[in-house]
Each structure stands twice: as C-alpha cells, then as structure tokens.
C-alpha cells in the first residue's frame, strides 16, 4: 500500500512516514487529508463558534520576540481591565448569541491570585450562560510561581471558581531547541511544562485545545516532533481520563513590527496548508481542525476546508494578539462566516465550544439580508 493510500485510509502513521508526507505533491496530500476528515467528521458540514477573545491584561514579563501585544507595567499603553470592563465586553457577546469567551493575558506578576479567582466568580455570577475558557500553560505557570502552589493546585482552584477550559495558547513549536532559541523566546515555558500542565488540565476534565505555529525556521522533523508529543499526550489522556484535546489549531508566524522580524523565514500559504494536512493525518485522535482565517485570510481558510479542516473557528468579536504582529483579519461577522462556508460548498452550523452543533442558521434568509461586511476583514491574498 502506498503511503498516501495508508494515510487516506486513516491508519496511524509513524513519525518517519509523516516527514515523508511533506515531500509529496500538495494536492495529493490534500486528497488524503480530506479523506481522513470525511472519515472522522460529517463531510457535509463546517462548524463555527460565536465568541469573543478578551485580553484582560497586556502586562507580561516573558518578552517573546514574536509578540507585539505585551507591555511592561511602566509603558503608557499597558493595561489591566476591570471586572466591569470585562463584563461589558461579554454583554456585547451575549447580545449576538455568543456562547464562550477565550480570555488570555500576559504573565502579569502584579496581579494577585485572588484577582483571578474573584474574576472567575464574577463571570459565573453575572454571565452564567457563557463558558469561560481562559489562560494558557504559561499564565498557569506564572500563577504557580506567584503563589508557591503547584500548577495542578492552581488549576483546581480556578476550576472551583468557575474556569471551564484551558486554551492551547503558547504551544507554538513544542521543540525547545526552536521555542527557546535566543531570537525566539528564551524565557518561554518549556515544551515539557506546557504538555504537563495541559495533561493536568485534562485530568480535571477541563476543555483543552492544541496549537501550533510554523515559520521559525524549524525542520519538517521538528514539526513532526511537535505532532508526536501532542499525539502521545492525546493517547495518554484519553486512556486515563477520557478527556483530551478537542481541536488542533495551527497558523503561521506573524512578524510585522515585532523583534523577530527578519530573523526567521516565516511561512506562507502553501506551507500552512501542507502542515494542516499532515496534522490531520498524523494526529489521528484529535477530532476537530480549525481553519485559521485571522492569520491566513478567508480564501486560504476556505481552501483549508479541503486540507483537513472541518471548522471555521470563531467570529472573534475581538482579537488583540496576533493582529498586533501583523495578522490582517479581525472580527468577522457571523453572516460573513456563513457566506464563506457556504461559498466553499458546505453547510454552516453554529457550535458551542465543545463542538456540539447548537443551531442551524437560516442561510438563505441571512444571506438575503443586506451585508454588513467590514471589507477590511476579507481576502488577505487578494
Ligand atoms: S506571547 Fe504571551 S508570554 Fe510571550 S510576551 Fe506575549 S503575552 Fe507574554
């Protein structure tokens, strides 16, 4: 059996076979990844989420060279949102039938742990229908340092106060040689710690996702090493807790106006699609793959729906992190997401953050209405 037939049949591949996939013609790879997507998810539909990213504070002491978001406390434009400011953002989300916030910040050493716990309680009291998926392993590690508690203890307290999930921010490339290189993020959480904290979140039943960023100049073997580490944790957590990563989300490094610009090669649309296809084939126990319109634009995101992706991500009522490193796309209205999915030939379905379908939009009625399209969000590659 050829490698492509093996891949398309959904059989588990070795790391060496995954490296070989990168050398195959792009559209052969696309066929295999699409076949696997159709085996594992409903071939007719593409899901999307109505949510909002909230970045509670941009103060951070990690200083990643690819980050345009963080500030030191002394900088004029550093901020920490009040609970009321966060609530106001959530009310705007509730008004458009949103179901989840993805809330992350910098690693702010000036916020006491009680601030986070009180925030969780405040959100559950005032916004009981909104799922709170917040922080990242890096922030959990920061809270652990601050309090002297273990990351597991930190997670347990946050969960008891209302935390529903730990998103996969900061995964980037789970190969320390790449992630901790001097010109990348030497102070970044290690791959081992990132994976350990994710595994602990999974042991508590928290929702988690895995992420990946390409373009640091990593080799194909290093990309596959990232996949292998994610797959190993997925196997372990599924066997031990029946709870593991719900989705895999990858994108390309955004370098505009940040210190890493010019020091790494970055990655283009071809590499993004190729890597997405390999991830769909290799990570055989992760059910959902998002198309990344904020970084890649809607045309490539539509194309990604034929390279293994079965989900269009979220409306992202607000995004402040990758956009500050050059991602051109922020805030796509639900109507526009529905149009993109429909134009690609799929039936759009609204999901919750657990990937349960919760509503079938009336596509005809929605598309018949006059569009309120923000054209700045469209087509990065036009
Ligand atoms: S990526 Fe996160 S941890 Fe790194 S500097 Fe930015 S906010 Fe801080």
């Amino acid at each position: 059996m050829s490698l492509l037939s093996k891949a398309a049949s959904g059989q588990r591949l070795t790391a060496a076979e995954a490296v070989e996939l990168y050398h195959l013609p792009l559209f052969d790879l696309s066929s295999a990844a699409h076949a696997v997507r159709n085996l594992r998810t409903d071939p007719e539909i593409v899901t999307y989420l109505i949510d909002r990213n909230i970045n509670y504070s941009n103060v951070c002491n990690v200083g990643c060279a690819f980050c345009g978001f963080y500030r030191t406390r002394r900088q004029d434009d550093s901020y920490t949102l009040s609970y009321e400011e966060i609530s106001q953002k959530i009310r705007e989300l509730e008004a458009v039938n949103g179901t989840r916030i993805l809330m992350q910040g910098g690693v702010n050493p000036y916020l006491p742990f009680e601030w986070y716990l009180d925030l969780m309680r405040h959100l559950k009291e005032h916004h009981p229908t909104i799922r709170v998926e917040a922080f990242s392993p890096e922030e959990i590690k920061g809270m652990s340092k601050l309090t002297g508690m273990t990351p597991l203890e930190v997670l347990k307290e946050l969960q008891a106060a209302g935390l529903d999930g730990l998103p996969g921010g900061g995964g980037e490339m789970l190969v320390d040689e790449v992630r901790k290189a001097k010109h990348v993020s030497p102070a970044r959480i290690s791959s081992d710690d990132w994976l350990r904290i994710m595994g602990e979140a999974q042991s508590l039943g928290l929702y988690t996702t895995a992420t990946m960023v390409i373009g640091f100049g990593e080799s194909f073997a290093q990309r596959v090493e990232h996949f292998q580490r994610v797959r190993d944790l997925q196997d372990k957590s599924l066997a031990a807790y029946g709870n593991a990563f719900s989705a895999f989300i990858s994108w390309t490094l955004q370098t505009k106006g940040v210190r890493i610009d010019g020091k790494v090669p970055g990655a283009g649309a071809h590499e993004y699609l190729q890597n997405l296809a390999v991830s769909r084939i290799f990570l055989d126990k992760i059910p959902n793959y998002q198309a990344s319109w904020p970084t890649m634009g809607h045309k490539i995101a539509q194309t990604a729906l034929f390279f293994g992706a079965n989900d269009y991500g979220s409306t992202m009522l607000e995004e402040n992190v990758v956009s500050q490193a050059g991602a051109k796309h922020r805030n796509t209205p639900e109507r526009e997401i529905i149009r993109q999915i429909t134009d690609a030939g799929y039936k759009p379905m609204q999901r919750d953050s657990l990937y349960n379908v919760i509503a079938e939009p009336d596509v005809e009625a929605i598309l018949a209405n006059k569009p309120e399209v923000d054209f700045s969000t469209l087509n990065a590659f036009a």
Side-chain angles (χ1 to χ4, degrees):
M1 185 188 272
S2 74
L3 177 58
L4 268 178
S5 310
K6 185 177 173 187
S9 73
Q11 288 182 59
R12 179 163 275 205
L13 299 194
T14 65
E17 287 171 327
V19 172
E20 244 185 272
L21 290 178
Y22 285 97
H23 299 285
L24 298 177
L26 188 63
F27 286 96
D28 290 352
L29 195 54
S30 154
S31 303
H34 194 56
V36 176
R37 176 261 202 259
N38 288 345
L39 277 179
R40 304 215 168 108
T41 60
D42 187 331
E44 307 283 319
I45 72 168
V46 167
T47 49
Y48 66 94
L49 176 70
I50 301 180
D51 84 340
R52 176 168 201 152
N53 281 18
I54 297 177
N55 300 107
Y56 59 89
S57 175
N58 64 352
V59 176
C60 184
N61 62 9
V62 179
C64 305
F66 51 79
C67 180
F69 168 72
Y70 82 95
R71 300 288 183 275
T72 64
R73 189 166 64 158
R74 292 209 176 123
Q75 284 179 276
D76 290 345
D77 53 350
S78 68
Y79 72 82
T80 297
L81 299 178
S82 67
Y83 294 175
E84 177 46 32
E85 285 171 318
I86 294 172
S87 262
Q88 178 52 35
K89 288 175 184 287
I90 298 176
R91 285 194 287 274
E92 290 165 11
L93 176 68
E94 287 165 336
V96 293
N97 300 322
T99 58
R100 174 289 291 250
I101 55 165
L102 191 157
M103 189 171 61
Q104 293 179 317
V107 178
N108 184 337
Y110 307 103
L111 284 178
F113 189 46
E114 276 305 317
W115 186 90
Y116 299 97
L117 296 177
D118 286 343
L119 174 60
M120 293 295 110
R121 294 182 195 115
H122 170 89
L123 296 178
K124 284 297 157 181
E125 187 188 337
H126 295 279
H127 309 283
T129 63
I130 297 291
R131 274 181 63 86
V132 179
E133 291 166 9
F135 315 123
S136 64
E138 187 85 74
E139 287 154 275
I140 300 299
K141 188 181 152 206
M143 293 178 214
S144 161
K145 267 195 193 160
L146 190 77
T147 58
M149 296 191 293
T150 65
L152 182 59
E153 288 165 344
V154 167
L155 284 169
K156 279 183 181 166
E157 292 223 14
L158 289 169
Q159 186 181 30
L163 182 71
D164 295 306
L166 181 67
E172 285 117 30
M173 188 57 54
L174 292 170
V175 179
D176 284 346
E177 196 186 329
V178 176
R179 72 191 279 113
K180 285 176 152 298
K182 204 163 64 209
H183 61 289
V184 179
S185 47
R188 200 74 163 124
I189 186 170
S190 68
S191 309
D192 285 352
D193 284 348
W194 191 93
L195 289 156
R196 186 177 311 111
I197 292 172
M198 275 298 174
E200 288 172 347
Q202 290 163 353
S203 77
L204 299 175
L206 289 167
Y207 161 94
T208 55
T209 53
T211 57
M212 178 180 200
V213 180
I214 60 169
F216 297 98
E218 70 283 346
S219 64
F220 294 144
Q222 286 172 321
R223 289 181 191 173
V224 172
E225 189 179 334
H226 176 106
F227 294 142
Q228 183 73 62
R229 299 210 68 186
V230 170
R231 192 169 80 176
D232 289 347
L233 177 59
Q234 188 77 354
D235 287 350
K236 197 171 141 213
S237 291
L238 281 176
Y241 324 117
N243 178 44
F245 297 118
S246 302
F248 189 79
I249 309 150
S250 57
W251 62 93
T252 57
L253 185 67
Q254 308 293 302
T255 59
K256 197 169 168 202
V258 289
R259 282 183 288 126
I260 204 168
D261 194 15
K263 296 178 187 150
V264 292
H270 176 287
E271 276 189 276
Y272 165 73
L273 293 169
Q274 179 189 53
N275 193 64
L276 170 65
V278 179
S279 67
R280 166 58 92 177
I281 292 166
F282 188 75
L283 295 169
D284 50 357
K285 294 277 169 48
I286 297 185
N288 300 296
Y289 289 73
Q290 281 186 20
S292 179
W293 62 260
T295 52
M296 305 311 302
H298 285 294
K299 292 300 163 210
I300 298 302
Q302 284 181 316
T303 310
L305 300 177
F306 301 89
F307 281 76
N310 64 303
D311 182 84
Y312 211 75
S314 76
T315 51
M316 227 177 256
L317 206 57
E318 178 178 359
E319 201 294 314
N320 304 301
V321 179
V322 287
S323 51
Q324 292 193 35
K328 296 184 185 70
H329 304 269
R330 304 170 80 167
N331 178 11
T332 296
E334 182 187 13
R335 182 191 183 284
E336 188 53 30
I337 286 199
I338 287 171
R339 189 177 75 82
Q340 297 290 342
I341 295 172
T342 307
D343 283 357
Y346 292 97
K347 190 198 279 190
M349 290 285 200
Q350 186 188 347
R351 65 168 172 90
D352 62 17
S353 63
L354 302 172
Y355 286 83
N356 301 309
V357 168
I358 56 171
E360 179 174 353
D362 185 342
V363 174
E364 241 176 76
I366 290 171
L367 295 187
N369 278 336
K370 266 272 174 238
E372 289 174 25
V373 179
D374 172 0
F375 285 99
S376 69
T377 70
L378 301 180
N379 198 4
F381 297 92

